[in-house]
Amino acid sequence: MQSRDLTLISLIPIAVIVIVGLRAAGMWGQAVMTQALALKILRDLQSAMFAKLMSVDFARFAREDVGRLVSRFTNDITIVGYALVRAAQTSLRDSLTLIGSIAMMFYLDWVLAGVVIGVFALAARPLGAIAKRARKQTSIAQEQIGHVTALLNEIFGASRFVKTYSLERRETERANRAFEEQRRLGMKLAHNRARSEPLLEILGGVALAGVLYLAGVRIAAGHMTLGDLFGMIGAVGVATPAARSISGFNTMLNEALAAVTRIFTLIDEPETINDKPGAKALAVKEGRIEFSDVGFSYGEAPAVENVSFTVEPGETVALVGPSGSGKSTIFNLLPRLYDVTHGAVRIDGQDVRDVTVVSLRSSISLVAQEAALFNDTIRNNIALGRASATYAEIEEAARNAAAHDFIMALPNGYDTAAGERGGNLSGGERQRIALARAFLRDAPILLLDEATSALDAASEAQVQDALKRLSKGRTVLVIAHRLATVRDADRILALENGRIVEVGRHDELVAKGGLYARLSRLQFQSTEQAS
Ligand code: ADP
């Protein structure tokens, strides 16, 4: 008998250690697993949002600023993450605790239990209102965070301008106003959130007081024992924190719902520019571009109207006109960054809306004013023109673009980093990288938006030479800012208010003495001295 007791006594501590060990392992496993699951969900949401943004229309990016889009990936994801982890880790436990303690109350004394539940039920409505308001306030606060991100992007991006124009103080004030607004909204949210806990605390107290009073009456009447009372108080003590935690979670859940709604609104956005069912690849035989009676508007007013012209294979046609006359819009319509609202754009007789978007865009090279450079090596930046290019092809393209020599003079040659937005390179160098990209792409159609900023004479001459080589044998549409370009163009389209008002060669149009003659006097930078 005694020896059995001893064995038991020595077994108990071991059992305790084993149980505690198992519990610890379980806690660890649960924490890791819930995190793993939550992080996987968040990554999938980010991927889905990003994939959508890569496939939606170009117009999407004009509609909402980048900061707000970025905050979907950062702030909204963080909010959803907290809620997911909390849901998995504590809300199940709290719900079970609450259910268990309520069952216990009913088992002990159903009348008292009814009273306690009634008191808590009274709180449901105000708690619901608090949660609803939290959802709305979080939306507003998140918008503000997006606004701050956008503002910082803008200010840091323009840091050179800010410094040279001594705008530090003005920008500091602007940023501080945005930070203050964020604080104010955060505080509002905190005030609202802070309401639910004290409310439940008071209710807990009221419930306890009610229990004590009623219990006194029922014990005196012999309906209840003192033991039942202690059990009851214990159950209320366990139920209150669980209810409080669930209510806190409810507020959090509402905030997360607001974030999830924003995330899914983005994921579910319709794409208007996509392939028609059964669309075939564009077959470029010669590269004839044809705009027939094209009209387009971004909003109410038309950006271009009645635009009809043809660029024959191998021709270079220059677009000229005051700013806002529709030159960029014509550029946007060819690779279907936007779809025409009237008329049609055709390449070799095929409507651009009837062919696959990928095949359409792969037959077009765009060389824009601002060469889009990524913070990667020079080699990889050129390779963006065609992913399958070999090193030798990249080098050849660079030679053609008069970029090889300056690249070789860089500390790491082709492996030199271009810096953020190509910041390690000069304007002329960036343009030549963009040209190298176009050489590599070797597309039959070239859209060229000439730089308005003047380059130094040597760079200018090199860029012009490279452009001539690039244009050879291709159909070229160019937004012209250089005298040399308009002189060499096969035709010039002079635009005003979205319409073509004059067509002809440089000399003809100058002689005509109309819009073009006026513009060419004002606008074109001579490159004579450069060549
Ligand atoms: P250009 O390139 O000749 O300066 P654009 O083609 O950019 O002219 O602009 C033509 C017209 O369309 C202008 O009135 C301009 O304000 C308008 N516009 C251009 N882009 C947008 C846009 N993303 N949203 C709304 N309107 C735009």
Side-chain angles (χ1 to χ4, degrees):
M1 186 72 193
Q2 261 198 354
S3 69
R4 244 187 74 195
D5 279 355
L6 274 179
T7 338
L8 207 61
I9 284 170
S10 59
L11 272 180
I12 288 175
I14 295 174
V16 168
I17 289 170
V18 169
I19 291 170
V20 169
L22 283 176
R23 198 175 127 89
M27 280 161 81
W28 182 82
Q30 192 207 19
V32 171
M33 270 174 353
T34 49
Q35 278 291 352
L37 183 66
L39 289 172
K40 200 158 156 320
I41 292 173
L42 298 183
R43 181 207 53 202
D44 290 347
L45 284 175
Q46 286 178 315
S47 297
M49 282 195 287
F50 192 78
K52 169 56 80 168
L53 283 173
M54 286 293 104
S55 67
V56 284
D57 317 341
F58 177 64
R60 179 68 182 75
F61 294 93
R63 215 167 53 230
E64 190 169 15
D65 49 40
V66 175
R68 279 171 215 262
L69 288 177
V70 168
S71 91
R72 301 270 195 300
F73 288 82
T74 51
N75 304 312
D76 283 342
I77 285 289
T78 309
I79 293 180
V80 175
Y82 283 144
L84 278 175
V85 169
R86 173 90 183 261
Q89 287 184 348
T90 61
S91 66
L92 183 67
R93 192 192 63 202
D94 289 335
S95 310
L96 290 179
T97 309
L98 190 63
I99 292 169
S101 45
I102 290 173
M104 180 75 185
M105 288 182 217
F106 274 100
Y107 171 75
L108 289 171
D109 188 318
W110 65 269
V111 178
L112 273 185
V115 171
V116 173
I117 301 296
V119 170
F120 276 96
L122 279 180
R125 193 185 271 270
L127 285 176
I130 289 173
K132 207 170 136 195
R133 193 171 319 141
R135 177 150 52 170
K136 221 170 81 199
Q137 286 175 337
T138 323
S139 270
I140 299 172
Q142 286 307 104
E143 276 289 298
Q144 176 61 16
I145 293 178
H147 175 69
V148 169
T149 318
L151 186 74
L152 293 178
N153 253 336
E154 182 182 285
I155 297 175
F156 296 151
S159 53
R160 190 164 69 154
F161 177 70
V162 169
K163 289 269 170 225
T164 47
Y165 279 68
S166 300
L167 298 175
E168 291 93 340
R169 182 192 289 227
R170 178 179 175 274
E171 296 308 307
T172 306
E173 278 167 11
R174 207 151 68 102
N176 281 344
R177 269 201 302 278
F179 299 150
E180 165 58 21
E181 181 62 12
Q182 194 176 338
R183 182 203 65 79
R184 196 183 66 80
L185 292 172
M187 207 53 227
K188 241 170 116 173
L189 194 56
H191 267 299
N192 188 41
R193 270 194 204 132
R195 278 200 201 131
S196 68
E197 297 243 331
L199 189 65
L200 278 158
E201 194 65 42
I202 291 170
L203 280 170
V206 171
L208 196 60
V211 165
L212 286 175
Y213 171 73
L214 275 177
V217 175
R218 287 173 68 77
I219 289 172
H223 292 307
M224 199 181 176
T225 66
L226 207 57
D228 290 344
L229 173 64
F230 282 121
M232 203 70 196
I233 292 171
V236 172
V238 172
T240 310
R244 202 157 58 199
S245 168
I246 288 172
S247 143
F249 174 64
N250 186 34
T251 312
M252 190 179 202
L253 195 65
N254 271 283
E255 296 174 15
L257 275 178
V260 163
T261 309
R262 282 191 297 276
I263 289 173
F264 276 98
T265 312
L266 175 63
I267 292 176
D268 293 336
E269 270 179 30
E271 300 162 32
T272 53
I273 296 192
N274 42 23
D275 295 347
K276 273 191 185 165
K280 289 205 175 51
L282 173 73
V284 184
K285 286 184 272 314
E286 302 172 298
R288 175 181 290 102
I289 301 172
E290 188 191 345
F291 274 62
S292 68
D293 197 16
V294 166
F296 176 77
S297 67
Y298 294 96
E300 300 279 293
V304 291
E305 259 183 311
N306 302 113
V307 169
S308 296
F309 65 89
T310 308
V311 190
E312 295 297 333
E315 267 191 340
T316 295
V317 166
L319 299 174
V320 171
S323 80
S325 59
K327 304 180 295 291
S328 314
T329 305
I330 290 179
F331 262 37
N332 290 339
L333 294 174
L334 192 67
R336 271 189 92 193
L337 294 184
Y338 295 92
D339 269 339
V340 296
T341 34
H342 190 267
V345 176
R346 298 192 187 87
I347 293 175
D348 283 345
Q350 302 148 81
D351 192 316
V352 293
R353 286 167 297 182
D354 294 338
V355 297
T356 61
V357 175
V358 170
S359 69
L360 169 69
R361 292 182 184 162
S362 70
S363 56
I364 299 172
S365 290
L366 171 71
V367 178
Q369 281 228 17
E370 253 318 302
L373 295 197
F374 293 97
N375 195 4
D376 199 342
T377 61
I378 303 271
R379 189 197 313 282
N380 289 341
N381 263 296
I382 298 177
L384 293 175
R386 181 157 50 88
S388 62
T390 63
Y391 281 13
E393 287 170 325
I394 291 172
E395 206 177 297
E396 194 198 328
R399 278 183 205 280
N400 274 323
H404 180 73
D405 291 341
F406 91 75
I407 294 172
M408 291 312 284
L410 292 170
N412 294 316
Y414 281 85
D415 294 317
T416 310
E420 203 176 340
R421 293 197 208 113
N424 299 350
L425 303 173
S426 77
E429 288 167 348
R430 284 203 293 270
Q431 278 182 18
R432 278 178 275 164
I433 298 285
L435 288 179
R437 224 183 241 169
F439 271 109
L440 194 64
R441 193 169 182 78
D442 196 22
I445 293 169
L446 174 64
L447 292 180
L448 175 64
D449 188 356
E450 277 192 325
T452 36
S453 51
L455 300 175
D456 64 273
S459 301
E460 181 67 55
Q462 283 178 323
V463 167
Q464 289 297 334
D465 275 354
L467 272 177
K468 252 184 210 155
R469 276 196 297 279
L470 182 61
S471 306
K472 211 170 185 147
R474 296 175 216 275
T475 310
V476 185
L477 202 53
V478 51
I479 296 180
H481 296 292
R482 298 272 187 269
L483 187 60
T485 312
V486 283
R487 278 207 173 139
D488 292 347
D490 294 297
R491 227 161 334 117
I492 296 164
L493 308 178
L495 289 152
E496 193 171 34
N497 298 327
R499 290 166 180 270
I500 299 177
V501 290
E502 286 172 357
V503 182
R505 292 187 60 96
H506 176 70
D507 300 334
E508 295 164 18
L509 293 183
V510 168
K512 204 169 163 194
L515 171 74
Y516 180 80
R518 254 183 294 132
L519 281 175
S520 74
R521 270 201 304 279
L522 297 171
Q523 206 173 349
F524 297 121
Q525 299 155 11
S526 173
T527 51
E528 310 285 76
Q529 75 272 23
S531 44

